[in-house]
Amino acid sequence: MATATEQWVLVEMVQALYEAPAYHLILEGILILWIIRLLFSKTYKLQERSDLTVKEKEELIEEWQPEPLVPPVPKDHPALNYNIVSGPPSHKIVVNGKECINFASFNFLGLLDNPRVKAAALASLKKYGVGTCGPRGFYGTFDVHLDLEDRLAKFMKAEEAIIYSYGFATIASAIPAYSKRGDIVFVDRAACFAIQKGLQASRSDIKLFKHNDVADLERLLKEQEIEDQKNPRKARVTRRFIVVEGLYMNTGTICPLPELVKLKYKYKARIFLEESLSFGVLGEHGRGVTEHYGINIDDIDFISANMENALASIGGFCCGRSFVIDHQRLSGQGYCFSASLPPLLAAAAIEALNIMEENPGIFAVLKEKCRQIHKALQGISGLKVVGESSSPAFHLQLEESTGSREQDVRLLQEIVDQCMNKNIALTQARYLEKEEKCLPPPSIRVVVTVEQTEEELERAASTIKEVAQAVLL
Amino acid sequence: MANPGGGTVCNGKLHNHKKQSNGSQRRNCTKNGIVKEAQQNGKPHFYDKLIVESFEEAPLHVMVFTYMGYGIGTLFGYLRDFLRNWGIEKCNAAVERKEQKDFVPLYQNFENFFTRNLYMRIRDNWNRPICSAPGPLFDVMERVSDDYNWTFRFTGRIIKDVINMGSYNFLGLADKYDESMKTIKDVLEVYGTGVASTRHEMGTLDKHKELEDLVAKFLNVEAAMVFGMGFATNSMNIPALVGKGCLILSDELNHTSLVLGARLSGATIRIFKHNNTQSLEKLLRDAVIYGQPRTRRAWKKILILVEGVYSMEGSIVHLPQIIALKKKYKAYLYIDEAHSIGAVGPTGRGVTEFFGLDPHEVDVLMGTFTKSFGASGGYIAGRKDLVDYLRVHSHSAVYATSMSPPIAEQIIRSLKLIMGLDGTTQGLQKVQQLAKNTRYFRQRLQEMGFIIYGNENASVVPLLLYMPGKVAAFARHMLQEKKIGVVVVGFPATPLAEARARFCVSAAHTREMLDTVLEALDEMGDLLQLKYSRHKKSARPELYDETSFELED
């Protein structure tokens, strides 16, 4: 049957060929030839092969000149001539061979040369030696570390605490443990460098809001909410974080935490709080900015702080609920892949905590001293005080910039140098100018500690006033 | 051709030049002075040293069982997750606060699958707390779990005098206090523990200066700078050296800190195969010839990141070849000597000395004080202009608190000891003892038929266990029955199927201790069937034999 139909079609075709007019056949013939031509012709010009020959490659290799590994540094760069401190950087400090009163080190509670702290560290040295020779996972966990974590958690009234062996690495490791690519982080413009690096390592989307401006933050959160409504599937897996400092290193101001907590629940964004300056400073018992405002610590997802300022040891810690903190034990890079904190430093931190717990009055004393020097430093012509009056680290900035940062820095350095000559040790706040996201204006950072007496504070204030007058007028 | 290693692979073409045996290799160590002299005359003699490195492949059935182990573990994980979801099995994990239940989940569920279902079963083998100095013998606090490792409870008992095969105490300088540490006590009493300021502000102490000068002298370079944390030394200084428009060529097995530093720098990163100079050369060639992708502009500079000794493989970097490449292609070389400084080389000065090279051949010498020196922190050393630049631009120098004075003093003490500045040869003896212990330990393990990785001179000795079940059994048995503390590592620190135990040999280990450990290992090897080695000549050729790497050009 099938063969019959096929034959029939073939016969029909031949018949059609006979019947077709000549012009039709000629036209079809031409069309067929055209198709064949198209098939075999080159539709484009083949370019000359661009591969390099071996000789050319060798020449390229020969020719390439890299930039030097490091550009030369001018020999008179201030950073090359560090202040050299001989002996302990405590209340009385010997800088470049000159004895001064220290207004530069973050030794707020004066625990750096406290005999009890030293004795505790010494006892630890006798038992454990110095180094731990391993990360926490591989026999680098000492009983001292567990004690310290316990004590910190109890002190902060948090469920769990985790310690790092370097203050800077604490927040810089903690942020990328949670915030990943695609997540959104709202961060204050004045955030310190450690936060900036943590955010960079997390590769999340970063949204900067104006310093301490809750309205601006809310605007950004709202924008994000509208964005989320457009793509709810994505929004369901996009975590949102607000990263702020308790007491800002770069400005000396306190964050408006109660408003931030409200926003947290309204927009469902978690709060990470950096308290390196406020821990051991703010609040009735030195628990930091949460105690200062009377906020439940559970409302903050984690608090990170270093133990290098108020506790005058080395390292940092992070505390919060176990649900949050425990994750860092496998995901905090600075925790997992670094040697643990030398036990003698952990022992020193424990003893410092003991002292803080035993003398809760110390925080009020510190606050009073801050107020005093703040007041005394008001009204210097040419210099303005930047920072809260209860902040033990605040800034003196030029009232009017000369227009060039270099010139400003030079003027401020002149003030610092002359104060040093009059036995007041101060320092400028140093930044990596090219690396900072929002570079703060140049400033002298004044640090108040409980060891400074009223007279010393007076003297410092009057010295600064005097010198500033001489330099700036 | 003769295979001098006997069951090992000699990487590269090294044995084409001289047919050497292990014996003559050792002779080379002793006549190192001559090597140095030749090198000072401008003729680098890097073919004098035979690299004996072994990476034996596992038998097929072992790999099959290993993957089956993970498969079964995963299946059970799913089953138990299912039970937990339906409330049939109690979930012990910490949970989100009630108030925050409607937030976007902090963790993705699959992220924690591995932790919850595989790691949790065997996690008693990590983070074991100790309560003594991490010397050759240490005290481990006994802990038990009543809920299958979700929480631990201390029994109050202490397992005393456990042989420590886990701490990186290469030279035995981390130990409890003795009279030689008196200077540390003095420094602690004068300075206290903290510094409370940064290097740029008010935190440069005379102690730091003293330490930096000594480090430079020890390494035989122009200058050095020290930092408070080894991890941060990498992650906070690489960004100061390279940036956008620069290229980083990084070994695939580099430590996390190097990877993080490279990422933070903003430079383009390309990975070459572990210790494979041909792979590196291809990347270098392409980089110089073709420049940056898309824009085709030339790279500003190329930085090669390698480690001296790789902590998970026990391999030593092929430094002479890499230096030759770096010179040919005008790249810069950054070498992380965390596990090699103090532990490798006739006088402990790291891999440059091991190969008899001038330390200035390496552009950036980085290392840590955590391991051989029994302290903490890290350094970067090299030419003066490099160190000066870092003094100004290092993130760590500007923003991080400087090194604690007693820690600095411990490093000074250790350096003086190793350099013989204390007037004794104790330090040198420690370095030599370490080399002896390492070779003895590795050789005996090999004879017993274990598969161990790495270079015969590397003090980190990885012993391959493969199967996840054996990892747990091995570590538990070694501690509880044999009183030996070992470190076991698995995924993600190693490839999934290559879980291993890692021993760190120390100069403080006596021959008796090592023999005790070896005996225990022998027994364990029979019990758990760990002696996988077939003494075959080739081992993982696709990964480690350079000649098999195909050049596309």
Side-chain angles (χ1 to χ4, degrees):
Chain A
M1 182 71 183
T3 44
T5 9
E6 260 169 40
Q7 269 178 352
W8 176 237
V9 172
L10 212 68
V11 169
E12 224 176 5
M13 272 172 67
V14 174
Q15 258 180 357
L17 201 68
Y18 281 127
E19 283 166 21
Y23 73 90
H24 199 276
L25 285 178
I26 291 165
L27 189 73
E28 278 184 5
I30 291 171
L31 280 175
I32 289 168
L33 283 176
W34 184 252
I35 289 169
I36 290 168
R37 205 199 139 209
L38 276 179
L39 279 178
F40 287 94
S41 74
K42 289 176 186 167
T43 48
Y44 56 93
K45 267 192 188 156
L46 260 186
Q47 283 172 352
E48 296 283 306
R49 294 271 295 164
S50 66
D51 282 2
L52 299 163
T53 62
V54 176
K55 193 169 157 258
E56 281 170 319
K57 283 182 179 174
E58 290 303 327
E59 274 171 11
L60 278 171
I61 290 168
E62 198 60 43
E63 275 166 23
W64 182 64
Q65 275 306 331
E67 286 180 8
L69 179 61
V70 289
V73 181
K75 284 274 167 284
D76 58 339
H77 195 287
L80 286 185
N81 306 301
Y82 295 133
N83 291 321
I84 298 202
V85 178
S86 336
S90 49
H91 175 47
K92 290 263 165 44
I93 184 171
V94 180
V95 191
N96 303 329
K98 197 166 175 63
E99 196 187 283
C100 302
I101 301 164
N102 191 352
F103 280 87
S105 309
F106 296 108
N107 177 22
F108 302 130
L109 302 179
L111 295 174
L112 200 139
D113 61 348
N114 186 298
R116 273 178 65 185
V117 174
K118 282 182 188 171
L122 193 61
S124 172
L125 171 71
K126 296 227 155 140
K127 185 171 177 202
Y128 301 99
V130 180
T132 58
C133 285
R136 287 290 293 265
F138 303 158
Y139 301 105
T141 303
F142 286 55
D143 47 356
V144 198
H145 296 135
L146 300 176
D147 282 351
L148 177 57
E149 284 178 350
D150 239 29
R151 290 294 309 279
L152 283 165
K154 283 219 180 77
F155 181 81
M156 293 298 286
K157 298 193 170 163
E159 267 182 25
E160 193 171 339
I162 178 171
I163 54 173
Y164 284 78
S165 53
Y166 204 45
F168 189 97
T170 312
I171 186 85
S173 294
I175 292 176
Y178 305 101
S179 185
K180 308 283 180 195
R181 200 190 282 275
D183 294 337
I184 300 167
V185 186
F186 301 90
V187 61
D188 193 293
R189 289 179 75 92
C192 66
F193 198 70
I195 293 180
Q196 294 171 30
K197 284 292 129 181
L199 292 175
Q200 197 189 338
S202 76
R203 299 192 260 187
S204 314
D205 292 339
I206 296 158
K207 310 221 161 173
L208 295 168
F209 60 90
K210 283 187 203 140
H211 177 49
N212 268 353
D213 187 340
V214 182
D216 195 42
L217 171 61
E218 183 153 22
R219 179 183 63 83
L220 287 173
L221 285 164
K222 262 206 189 110
E223 262 173 30
Q224 187 54 44
E225 199 174 45
I226 294 164
E227 198 69 24
D228 284 349
Q229 277 159 2
K230 281 186 206 152
N231 194 350
R233 270 183 72 184
K234 194 177 159 217
R236 239 175 287 147
V237 292
T238 307
R239 284 164 285 228
R240 270 143 293 179
F241 302 97
I242 300 171
V243 181
V244 287
E245 275 180 75
L247 188 57
Y248 281 89
M249 180 76 145
N250 293 353
T251 61
T253 47
I254 298 174
C255 74
L257 200 57
E259 283 91 337
L260 291 172
V261 171
K262 264 183 221 142
L263 287 184
K264 163 185 168 162
Y265 287 109
K266 191 168 169 197
Y267 294 96
K268 307 199 190 323
R270 296 164 197 275
I271 297 186
F272 294 165
L273 183 59
E274 217 299 324
E275 291 221 74
S276 286
L277 281 193
S278 47
F279 172 74
V281 171
L282 293 180
E284 201 188 336
H285 299 90
R287 294 200 185 98
V289 72
T290 45
E291 196 187 24
H292 177 79
Y293 284 115
I295 284 171
N296 182 359
I297 191 164
D298 281 347
D299 283 332
I300 310 297
D301 290 82
F302 79 65
I303 289 177
S304 135
N306 70 31
M307 306 189 280
E308 296 163 353
N309 300 340
L311 287 181
S313 181
I314 298 285
F317 72 91
C318 214
C319 67
R321 290 174 53 84
S322 296
F323 174 71
V324 180
I325 298 299
D326 204 43
H327 184 64
Q328 287 180 41
R329 297 198 191 273
L330 285 175
S331 307
Q333 289 200 331
Y335 176 87
C336 297
F337 297 103
S338 158
S340 53
L341 186 69
L344 73 97
L345 298 174
I350 293 177
E351 191 59 32
L353 267 181
N354 286 339
I355 295 171
M356 276 165 64
E357 281 180 343
E358 286 163 25
N359 312 297
I362 199 171
F363 307 107
V365 173
L366 181 64
K367 208 175 197 174
E368 193 39 50
K369 299 205 161 165
C370 297
R371 290 240 166 82
Q372 189 196 339
I373 192 163
H374 242 265
K375 220 167 123 196
L377 281 173
Q378 299 295 334
I380 304 178
S381 56
L383 277 186
K384 63 178 175 197
V385 181
V386 175
E388 215 103 359
S389 65
S390 53
S391 164
F394 56 90
H395 298 258
L396 296 174
Q397 287 173 9
L398 290 178
E399 238 162 20
E400 268 175 65
S401 166
T402 55
S404 100
R405 192 176 173 97
E406 261 174 53
Q407 183 61 26
D408 290 359
V409 168
R410 211 168 300 140
L411 274 176
L412 290 173
Q413 191 56 41
E414 185 59 36
I415 298 176
V416 169
D417 289 346
Q418 290 200 22
C419 285
M420 204 93 92
N421 285 336
K422 300 190 173 187
N423 304 80
I424 302 292
L426 289 168
T427 173
Q428 284 198 61
R430 308 266 187 195
Y431 306 100
L432 285 172
E433 297 176 6
K434 292 201 184 95
E435 307 278 333
E436 286 277 353
K437 264 222 155 71
C438 312
L439 181 64
S443 64
I444 297 172
R445 197 192 291 111
V446 183
V447 179
V448 185
T449 74
V450 289
E451 286 179 308
Q452 292 152 1
T453 60
E454 275 181 33
E455 296 84 68
E456 284 167 342
L457 289 167
E458 275 313 317
R459 217 183 90 207
S462 60
T463 311
I464 294 170
K465 211 174 241 177
E466 223 171 87
V467 168
Q469 234 80 324
V471 172
L472 297 175
L473 292 181
Chain B
M1 204 183 72
N3 179 35
T8 57
V9 178
C10 303
N11 279 3
K13 308 162 201 128
L14 295 171
H15 52 283
N16 294 340
H17 293 259
K18 274 186 185 175
K19 287 186 183 172
Q20 286 176 319
S21 67
N22 280 343
S24 74
Q25 196 261 332
R26 224 154 273 154
R27 205 181 61 230
N28 260 318
C29 266
T30 54
K31 63 168 189 189
N32 188 271
I34 302 166
V35 175
K36 253 190 180 167
E37 201 177 311
Q39 187 258 318
Q40 275 156 8
N41 291 338
K43 281 188 213 155
H45 261 246
F46 41 76
Y47 290 124
D48 278 20
K49 185 131 331 203
L50 181 78
I51 299 178
V52 184
E53 249 166 42
S54 133
F55 296 96
E56 192 178 334
E57 202 176 2
L60 184 67
H61 72 272
V62 174
M63 295 317 267
V64 171
F65 282 126
T66 306
Y67 281 113
M68 264 171 65
Y70 280 106
I72 293 168
T74 312
L75 271 180
F76 266 89
Y78 278 119
L79 177 68
R80 296 186 64 184
D81 268 4
F82 174 80
L83 295 179
R84 283 184 198 121
N85 277 344
W86 287 87
I88 300 167
E89 191 187 324
K90 198 171 142 262
C91 187
N92 291 306
V95 287
E96 180 93 279
R97 284 174 79 201
K98 260 206 321 291
E99 293 90 329
Q100 287 179 230
K101 283 270 189 233
D102 53 345
F103 279 46
V104 176
L106 189 54
Y107 315 115
Q108 236 122 41
N109 200 36
F110 61 82
E111 253 184 296
N112 287 346
F113 181 84
F114 186 81
T115 318
R116 193 169 52 230
N117 293 310
L118 296 169
Y119 172 70
M120 196 53 77
R121 288 165 168 268
I122 56 173
R123 81 165 182 154
D124 53 314
N125 299 304
W126 290 274
N127 299 306
R128 286 171 176 167
I130 66 172
C131 54
S132 71
L137 297 174
F138 60 12
D139 303 339
V140 178
M141 294 161 78
E142 192 184 65
R143 55 178 190 179
V144 291
S145 178
D146 303 322
D147 49 6
Y148 302 100
N149 287 351
W150 285 95
T151 55
F152 292 105
R153 176 168 60 79
F154 288 101
T155 58
R157 268 198 301 274
I158 287 165
I159 312 173
K160 278 214 164 276
D161 294 331
V162 177
I163 300 179
N164 179 2
M165 296 304 290
S167 301
Y168 295 115
N169 183 16
F170 294 133
L171 295 181
L173 289 170
D175 214 335
K176 61 179 178 296
Y177 186 83
D178 60 49
E179 266 316 294
S180 66
M181 291 160 101
K182 192 172 171 306
T183 50
I184 303 166
K185 174 171 166 267
D186 296 342
V187 168
L188 176 60
E189 276 170 352
V190 174
Y191 288 81
T193 50
V195 184
S197 190
T198 67
R199 290 298 296 271
H200 272 218
E201 291 174 1
M202 204 50 85
T204 304
L205 305 183
D206 44 0
K207 272 285 154 218
H208 298 140
K209 204 89 195 136
E210 183 187 343
L211 173 59
E212 285 174 354
D213 291 345
L214 197 63
V215 170
K217 202 168 145 203
F218 172 67
L219 294 169
N220 221 345
V221 292
E222 288 172 10
M225 181 166 189
V226 298
F227 304 93
M229 182 198 198
F231 185 95
T233 309
N234 279 331
S235 62
M236 293 169 82
N237 285 308
I238 295 172
L241 296 174
V242 286
K244 206 166 157 276
C246 301
L247 177 68
I248 288 176
L249 298 178
S250 169
D251 191 293
E252 61 179 344
L253 296 179
N254 273 345
H255 189 249
T256 321
S257 55
L258 288 163
V259 176
L260 180 64
R263 274 195 198 153
L264 289 178
S265 74
T268 307
I269 305 165
R270 288 182 189 156
I271 312 290
F272 61 92
K273 289 200 186 302
H274 175 54
N275 239 345
N276 189 320
T277 37
Q278 284 185 317
S279 167
L280 174 63
E281 174 156 20
K282 183 173 177 337
L283 286 179
L284 274 169
R285 262 186 96 81
D286 285 356
V288 177
I289 293 169
Y290 299 112
Q292 301 185 32
R294 293 177 54 229
T295 62
R296 293 284 167 240
R297 285 206 195 142
W299 293 103
K300 285 185 187 157
K301 49 193 166 191
I302 300 175
L303 184 68
I304 304 170
L305 295 182
V306 292
E307 286 186 47
V309 167
Y310 289 85
S311 64
M312 290 295 163
E313 311 295 304
S315 48
I316 294 183
V317 65
H318 295 177
L319 192 61
Q321 292 92 326
I322 288 179
I323 286 185
L325 282 182
K326 142 199 146 57
K327 282 188 180 153
K328 184 173 172 198
Y329 295 98
K330 299 179 208 107
Y332 302 105
L333 180 59
Y334 182 113
I335 175 161
D336 174 347
E337 294 223 62
H339 300 89
S340 53
I341 194 68
V344 162
T347 63
R349 282 165 169 84
V351 281
T352 48
E353 192 193 32
F354 177 73
F355 288 106
L357 295 164
D358 180 0
H360 283 111
E361 303 260 14
V362 179
D363 299 278
V364 189
L365 286 164
M366 177 272 167
T368 68
F369 300 121
T370 317
K371 282 107 191 175
S372 302
F373 304 100
S376 76
Y379 65 80
I380 284 192
R383 295 194 184 281
K384 189 161 184 313
D385 54 351
L386 168 84
V387 176
D388 276 352
Y389 182 82
L390 285 178
R391 282 191 202 287
V392 179
H393 292 96
S394 160
H395 298 182
S396 181
V398 187
Y399 294 103
T401 306
S402 30
M403 185 186 272
S404 165
I407 307 294
E409 183 58 36
Q410 158 77 0
I411 305 165
I412 293 174
R413 173 188 89 100
S414 308
L415 282 172
K416 281 186 176 161
L417 197 72
I418 300 168
M419 291 162 82
L421 294 179
D422 60 338
T424 69
T425 54
Q426 270 184 33
L428 195 64
Q429 278 166 10
K430 280 183 199 285
V431 175
Q432 284 165 352
Q433 187 62 43
L434 174 65
K436 232 185 271 171
N437 283 353
T438 302
R439 247 179 258 125
Y440 174 73
F441 192 70
R442 277 185 169 266
Q443 205 181 344
R444 286 284 308 273
L445 282 182
Q446 219 148 26
E447 283 164 13
M448 286 177 193
F450 291 105
I451 294 186
I452 59 170
Y453 276 0
N455 190 298
E456 61 162 9
N457 294 298
S459 308
V460 276
V461 187
L463 185 154
L464 273 289
L465 301 171
Y466 299 106
M467 299 173 207
K470 289 187 182 181
V471 170
F474 180 80
R476 283 176 193 151
H477 240 78
M478 286 298 270
L479 180 66
Q480 282 151 15
E481 316 276 323
K482 309 285 180 196
K483 293 222 311 182
I484 297 167
V486 294
V487 162
V488 284
V489 247
F491 183 76
T494 67
L496 184 67
E498 289 185 22
R500 59 196 69 175
R502 193 190 54 187
F503 307 102
C504 295
V505 182
S506 163
H509 288 136
T510 60
R511 185 54 68 92
E512 290 76 52
M513 285 180 202
L514 289 180
D515 282 337
T516 316
V517 174
L518 287 164
E519 221 168 89
L521 283 174
D522 197 23
E523 213 175 289
M524 289 295 294
D526 292 333
L527 182 71
L528 295 174
Q529 304 273 307
L530 294 172
K531 298 177 175 174
Y532 304 115
S533 175
R534 291 161 300 175
H535 285 285
K536 258 183 70 178
K537 195 182 157 193
S538 105
R540 287 221 307 205
E542 76 285 3
L543 256 182
Y544 292 103
D545 186 1
E546 295 189 358
T547 45
S548 77
F549 184 80
E550 278 177 32
L551 288 172
E552 282 163 36
D553 276 10

